[in-house]
Structure formats: C-alpha cells, structure tokens
Amino acid sequence: MPQVEFDQGALARLRVARGSDTLWETVLSLQLLQNGEESLTYGPWRREVRDALHRAGLADDVRALMSLCPPTGYFPDFLTPGLGDLGLEDAVDRVLSTPRRRLAAELDRLCAPLRGPVPSSVRWVATGEPAALRRLGDMLRRYHALAVAPYLSVIRARAGQDRARRAEAALAGGAEALLASYAELPGRRRPDRARLATPYPESRLLRLGGRPLTLVPAFFCVRAPLALVDESLPHVLVHPLGPEPGWLPRFRAGAAAPSVAQLIGTSRARVLAALEAPLTTTALATALRLAPSTASRHAAVLREAGLVATRREGNRVLHRRTGLGSTLLEGQQVGTPGSQASATSMKMLET
C-alpha cells in the first residue's frame, strides 16, 4: 500500500491538474482493454473499441503496445510524461525524447519478472532508434484516436465536475479541506502522520522531499490511485474519476439526439449535462467557466422548468438534475409518455 508522506509545507505545494492527462488516459485505457476489470462500467466501451480497432486494421499495433503495457502492474514511466498539462502531440514528443539509457532501464524493469533478456517484443523500443520511436509515437496516436478521443467530451465533463468539487473545497477550507475532499478515494489520509494511504500492488512510501504533488484525475483509472515508480520524476498521484455504469449508452443517446441544445439553449444544456452529480452554484460555475451569477440564473430557469432540483445542506445550496432533466438530456422526451410535461418545460425555457 503506497503512502504519500506530507512534509512541512507540502499542503501549500499541493496542485490539482486542470483536467485528465492525454497519455495517462491512453495507457490506462490500454490496460483496461486487456484486463476486463469493472465490466459493468467499461464493458460496452471495450466492445466498441475492439470493433473500431478491428475495422481500422490496428491489431498488430495494439499488440505491440500491449507488450509495453501489460494488463496489470508496472508499465514504463516514460509512457506517461504529463501532469494533465500536455496535449497529445506535446505528450508524444516527450515520449519520443526519452533518453536511451532511461528507455533501457525502464524496459528492463518491465521485463524483470521474465528472468531473462528483454524480449524482441519490446527490444525495438529499448534501442532508442529514431525510426523505432517514431513508430511508437504513431501507435500511440492511432490508438488514442480510436480508444480515447471519441469519448473526450465525457472524460472532460467528468474531470470538470471533479475539479469544481476540489476548487470549492479549497476555497472553503484551504489546502487541508482540498486534501480532505479526496476522502472518497479507496484509501484515507491519516492526520496523525500526515499521510495519504491508498491500495496498490506493492507497498510504497512516497516522500515528497519539499517538491510539489500534482493530483491528476483519470477516467480510465479504476479502484486505486497510481504514482510514477521513479521518485526522481515529478510527483504525481493519478486517481479514479469513477464514471457511473451506463455512461456510454447515455453518451450515445445524447449524441444521437443533439436537439437538447436547440430546445433549451447551449448554455443551459451544458448546465444540465454538468449536473450528473449534485453541485453547488460555485462548483457549477467553476466546471463550466461561467460567472456564479450566470450559473445561478441558468439553474433557476432549469428549476422552474422541473429539470433541476435544489436543496440546502447546511450553508451550501446543491443543484441536481431531476428525472425529467435526465430524460430530456438522453433524448427520450419526444414521442414518449411524459412528452406533455416536457413540452411544458420547453415553453418555460423559451423565455
């Protein structure tokens, strides 16, 4: 079980990534594609991606990537150079600029359980030859285009909701409250020893040593947070976003019925979509990069239409999407029982 030990001043150096990281999502999705974990949540995604890879004729490329990234356990740190701060091309460029010595060392670690020489399936990368690295970059881009890119709107929305919750916690109670907001992760912080402990395949103690720690959400991270193995690299803790089962069918239903924005307006459609989980006005505004007054106004209009419900919890006001709001968002309101209620809501939203 890894534990992150927070030394003096570490909370002030805690950072939250602006969103998910391109190559962390790529590599973690590749593991999920192989290991079959969380089948209820990711099973439909696996079937869709496997079909897409087969149609594109990328089976050989994906098998080569799988040699570098097995279904569980360690994968080379050089495959995930970002902290949620790099686009795909910049991230791939970082991978391709990995020094040859580091490539060899990390691939030796990957193959250590085999108790033999580095197999040919990964040796081509260990050479560090420009042609081999260009091939690796092309593989990562092609796989990302089919396994991650089609789902970016869902990934970004979920990451935006997560960041909004963290921002609200930090604004309300500072760095201590920010760290406490991660209490729902499969682990816990022990205040007496200032450590964040999480399940992991092997026991580790990550000492920050005066350096910042960046918390990065990941849509394809499941069960437990992950960290880079080489502690000389920037400290990062990648944690699960935990999408709900059925996220892909809901996403596909929304893609098939893009008329929601036409019915209620683009901004209000975005507000409705963001309320997959209850959010305060401040968190909603942060997630959608709106002024709090604008977010409040949109929430009020949606509430009057019966698409959003609002309740007070202590000094917080939480907005959540109603069943009618979910039905509208999923494109089920037209021609179904309940269409009259939806039509009434639409008239209220026209003003």
Side-chain angles (χ1 to χ4, degrees):
M1 174 179 292
Q3 299 180 47
V4 182
E5 187 171 67
F6 290 83
D7 52 8
Q8 186 175 8
L11 290 179
R13 297 189 298 272
L14 200 61
R15 302 289 183 266
V16 177
R18 294 188 63 83
S20 64
D21 182 87
T22 303
L23 286 187
W24 274 103
E25 296 290 9
T26 300
V27 172
L28 292 174
S29 73
L30 189 60
Q31 285 197 314
L32 269 179
L33 192 65
Q34 300 174 75
N35 62 32
E37 291 185 348
E38 303 291 338
S39 60
L40 190 61
T41 300
Y42 295 101
W45 168 83
R46 283 190 188 92
R47 291 190 290 273
E48 197 168 280
V49 169
R50 284 169 180 157
D51 287 346
L53 293 171
H54 178 74
R55 289 194 304 270
L58 295 182
D60 289 342
D61 282 354
V62 173
R63 276 193 292 270
L65 287 177
M66 287 177 176
S67 298
L68 298 173
C69 181
T72 58
Y74 174 79
F75 56 81
D77 288 338
F78 69 76
L79 289 174
T80 52
L83 303 174
D85 56 347
L86 299 175
L88 178 62
E89 289 306 316
D90 287 340
V92 170
D93 284 347
R94 290 268 189 97
V95 173
L96 304 192
S97 63
T98 305
R100 185 173 300 189
R101 181 176 296 180
R102 181 180 165 193
L103 288 172
E106 293 186 8
L107 291 172
D108 280 344
R109 181 187 180 96
L110 174 69
C111 299
L114 301 178
R115 300 181 182 277
V118 174
S120 59
S121 57
V122 299
R123 193 184 306 131
W124 62 276
V125 179
T127 65
E129 295 295 331
L133 293 179
R134 284 195 299 270
R135 180 189 173 203
L136 174 60
D138 288 341
M139 288 177 178
L140 290 170
R141 292 186 190 96
R142 287 196 291 266
Y143 174 78
H144 177 275
L146 292 180
V148 179
Y151 314 97
L152 280 177
S153 61
V154 180
I155 295 170
R156 287 168 178 162
R158 197 79 178 91
Q161 293 168 3
D162 183 82
R163 182 173 172 82
R165 292 175 56 208
R166 310 309 174 191
E168 183 183 15
L171 288 171
E176 287 278 0
L178 170 61
L179 189 59
S181 75
Y182 289 90
E184 80 282 2
L185 293 180
R188 62 188 180 92
R189 180 186 180 233
R190 298 208 304 259
D192 58 321
R193 300 188 66 184
R195 291 181 180 178
L196 178 68
T198 60
Y200 206 67
E202 60 185 32
S203 179
R204 292 184 61 195
L205 176 59
L206 180 60
R207 291 187 172 91
L208 299 182
R211 294 189 292 156
L213 171 68
T214 303
L215 298 161
V216 180
F219 192 84
F220 293 110
C221 179
V222 299
R223 298 190 181 181
L226 301 169
L228 295 172
V229 172
D230 185 349
E231 294 185 15
S232 69
L233 298 171
H235 290 314
V236 58
L237 192 68
V238 178
H239 63 85
L241 278 174
E244 296 292 329
W247 65 268
L248 183 55
R250 288 196 298 272
F251 170 61
R252 289 299 174 218
S259 58
V260 174
Q262 298 171 6
L263 290 168
I264 67 176
T266 302
S267 294
R268 288 170 188 164
R270 291 176 63 224
V271 169
L272 198 61
L275 291 174
E276 181 177 337
L279 294 174
T280 66
T281 302
T282 301
L284 187 61
T286 302
L288 299 179
R289 298 183 181 180
L290 298 172
S293 59
T294 302
S296 178
R297 184 169 64 253
H298 286 319
V301 173
L302 292 168
R303 182 172 61 249
E304 291 172 7
L307 304 178
V308 165
T310 300
R311 74 175 188 275
R312 180 172 291 278
E313 284 189 0
N315 62 352
R316 302 194 307 164
V317 175
L318 288 171
H319 308 291
R320 66 171 179 83
R321 195 167 64 218
T322 65
L324 179 60
S326 295
T327 297
L328 173 65
L329 198 64
E330 293 165 12
Q332 299 172 0
Q333 80 285 358
V334 179
T336 63
S339 293
Q340 184 175 357
S342 296
T344 300
S345 298
M346 293 309 98
K347 289 179 182 178
M348 297 177 69
L349 289 164
E350 288 172 358
T351 58

